[in-house]
Amino acid sequence: QVRLMESGGGSVQAGGSLRLSCAASGYTFGNYVMGWFRQAPEQGREGVASVSRAGTTTYADSVKGRFTISRDNAKNILYLQMNSLKPEDTAMYYCAARTGFGYTLDPSRFDYWGQGTQVTVSA
């Protein structure tokens, strides 16, 4: 049974940093593409960052240069380091796993999802 559990969310002021973690279990972590997504109230879920099995990464334009996705296949953990946070980064953040090949920011291509962790950035 695939299980993904996010942690590390919280409230910070603009310009601050947070590191999100996603602990994975129930499958061979290194065999899956992983991604981070976010959803603000009354908005659709959007891709933030994705990392392939080999560690190749892609980012949404809105977070390039500020966020870094990484994975530790030995510990089965996915990370999202978020720096220079802005109020518009406020959202529920989710990690997800994809059984297909290739990294992508399209949430419809991901098969398993965590419950999310809230990030709130104040001005």
Side-chain angles (χ1 to χ4, degrees):
Q1 179 180 353
V2 174
R3 185 176 182 186
L4 302 172
M5 183 174 294
E6 303 93 339
S7 61
S11 297
V12 296
Q13 290 188 327
S17 298
L18 284 172
R19 187 175 82 156
L20 305 184
S21 299
C22 173
S25 61
Y27 69 105
T28 304
F29 180 74
N31 289 349
Y32 283 51
V33 174
M34 299 297 297
W36 284 101
F37 298 82
R38 66 187 181 187
Q39 187 166 13
E42 300 183 0
Q43 295 188 18
R45 191 165 295 188
E46 67 168 337
V48 174
S50 179
V51 57
S52 72
R53 295 171 178 81
T56 305
T57 58
T58 189
Y59 297 91
D61 288 342
S62 59
V63 306
K64 279 181 182 176
R66 299 189 297 122
F67 290 10
T68 302
I69 187 172
S70 61
R71 65 189 301 162
D72 186 332
N73 289 343
K75 296 182 178 179
N76 292 354
I77 299 178
L78 178 72
Y79 299 101
L80 184 68
Q81 178 66 45
M82 305 187 295
N83 298 329
S84 302
L85 283 161
K86 304 175 181 180
E88 51 263 44
D89 294 319
T90 296
M92 185 72 78
Y93 282 72
Y94 300 89
C95 72
R98 164 174 157 79
T99 58
F101 289 94
Y103 53 76
T104 175
L105 295 178
D106 181 354
S108 70
R109 296 182 178 272
F110 283 75
D111 304 287
Y112 303 100
W113 294 83
Q115 295 298 307
T117 186
Q118 177 68 37
V119 171
T120 303
V121 185
S122 58

